């Protein structure tokens, strides 16, 4: 439940790392679409993918297939880059979340610098909204960034929870307090509040203290947990296939 409104907080499942497993071997499996449909059946409220400029995990075809087949909303994370914007306008996902992107990073490291990239961000927000796409900005819980996010006309901000999830003790408490103040300010500014990055089963209870939450976008920990929960079934399947002996296929 949302800490302020008692509304259920929605779960957006980020399936990028299903595609990572596929890309490392150049196979056709595991299929992000199949994973997304499993998430949908399991009660996910939305599916999130990040179409990175270097295409390290999700590919263009994945985004089109998801758009075609999903019944729950598709949230496309993307940089403010003309090439990806063109794809977003063609695919028309339910929602776009604008994120910063650096090629050498392991994952999205910081929030979008709405202040430093004001013109590009404002223009991209307007272009997407004119195409009927709901826009979210992935930002730090910083008053200037939040105020400018509201000025951009975006509907949502997604608070970057990654730093909190990496910290312990007093530093974690201070970062959580900053996220709580950020969510309160965003709400006062008329923005809807999502949050994501680094959330797992150990820190979800603390994350749930953030007020006004609409959706939590969670990826890596769910995919990692799915590997563990699914491992014994996968081993059993292969044992059964070995026991079945030679087949003509
Ligand atoms: N939200 C945003 C904007 C992200 O960039 C990511 C990572 O792609 C996530 C949420 C999910 O983060 P994680 O995989 O750590 O759960």
């Amino acid at each position: 439940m949302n800490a302020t409104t008692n509304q259920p907080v929605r779960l957006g499942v980020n399936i990028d790392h299903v595609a990572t497993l596929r890309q490392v071997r150049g196979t056709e499996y595991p299929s992000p679409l199949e994973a997304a449909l499993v998430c949908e059946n399991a009660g996910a409220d939305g599916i999130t993918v990040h179409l990175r400029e270097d295409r390290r995990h999700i590919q263009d075809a994945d985004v089109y297939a998801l758009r075609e087949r999903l019944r729950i909303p598709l949230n496309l994370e993307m940089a403010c880059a003309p090439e990806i914007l063109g794809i977003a306008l063609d695919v028309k996902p339910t929602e776009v979340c604008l994120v910063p992107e650096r090629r050498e990073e392991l994952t999205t490291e910081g929030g979008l610098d709405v202040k430093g990239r004001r013109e590009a961000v404002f223009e991209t927000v307007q272009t997407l909204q004119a195409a009927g796409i709901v826009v979210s900005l992935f930002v730090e819980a910083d008053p200037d960034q939040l105020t400018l996010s509201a000025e951009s006309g975006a509907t949502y901000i997604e608070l970057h929870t990654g730093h909190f999830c990496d910290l312990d003790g007093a530093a974690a408490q201070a970062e959580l307090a900053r996220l709580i103040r950020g969510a309160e300010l965003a709400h006062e500014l008329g923005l809807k509040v999502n949050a994501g990055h680094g959330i797992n089963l150990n820190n979800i209870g603390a994350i749930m203290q953030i007020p006004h939450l609409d959706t939590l976008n969670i990826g890596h920990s769910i995919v990692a947990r799915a590997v563990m929960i699914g491992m014994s079934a996968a081993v059993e399947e292969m044992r059964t296939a070995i026991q079945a002996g030679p087949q003509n296929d």
Side-chain angles (χ1 to χ4, degrees), residues 12 14 16-17 48-50 52 57 75 77 97-100 107-110 137-139 158-162 195-200 216-222:
N14 179 316
D16 290 349
H17 296 303
T48 296
V49 290
H50 185 174
R52 296 186 76 104
H57 38 53
N75 171 31
E77 290 177 5
C97 179
L98 294 177
V99 299
T107 178
T108 317
E109 281 170 0
L137 303 179
F138 183 56
V139 289
E158 179 170 328
L159 289 174
H160 190 325
T161 53
H197 215 283
I199 301 173
N200 59 36
L216 291 174
N217 287 311
I218 307 178
H220 184 265
S221 72
I222 292 180

